[in-house]
């Protein structure tokens, strides 16, 4: 999985992009200091988008 949750001080959560180590980017939507349930839902959306991107590229051995 590319994205992870990071617990912030005060019981809030951030969605972190494992590829960059920074807060995830979702078209300008804040991914820091979130309620845990919202952060989990946002992470699921980001993971889904990442999986779709990977699947539509096809197998690596077909890249030229």
């Amino acid at each position: 999985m590319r994205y992870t949750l990071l617990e912030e001080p005060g019981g809030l959560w951030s969605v972190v992009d494992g590829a960059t180590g920074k807060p995830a980017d979702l078209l300008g939507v804040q991914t820091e200091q979130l309620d845990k349930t919202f952060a989990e839902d946002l992470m699921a959306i980001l993971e889904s988008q990442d999986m779709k991107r990977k699947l539509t590229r096809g197998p690596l051995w077909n890249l030229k």
Side-chain angles (χ1 to χ4, degrees):
M1 290 182 37
R2 177 176 172 170
Y3 298 93
T4 59
L5 294 180
L6 175 66
E7 188 171 9
E8 303 278 347
L12 298 175
W13 295 81
S14 293
V15 182
V16 177
D17 183 339
T20 65
K22 297 180 180 180
D25 179 29
L26 181 62
L27 303 172
V29 173
Q30 178 180 337
T31 62
E32 298 176 278
Q33 299 181 350
L34 304 170
D35 169 87
K36 186 175 183 181
T37 302
F38 186 74
E40 290 171 334
D41 291 346
L42 190 57
M43 185 178 75
I45 291 168
L46 288 163
E47 285 291 346
S48 175
Q49 288 179 340
D50 187 53
M51 182 61 68
K52 180 179 177 183
R53 181 185 55 79
K54 289 175 182 175
L55 290 172
T56 57
R57 278 198 267 162
L60 292 176
W61 55 87
N62 286 337
L63 296 177
K64 300 194 187 254

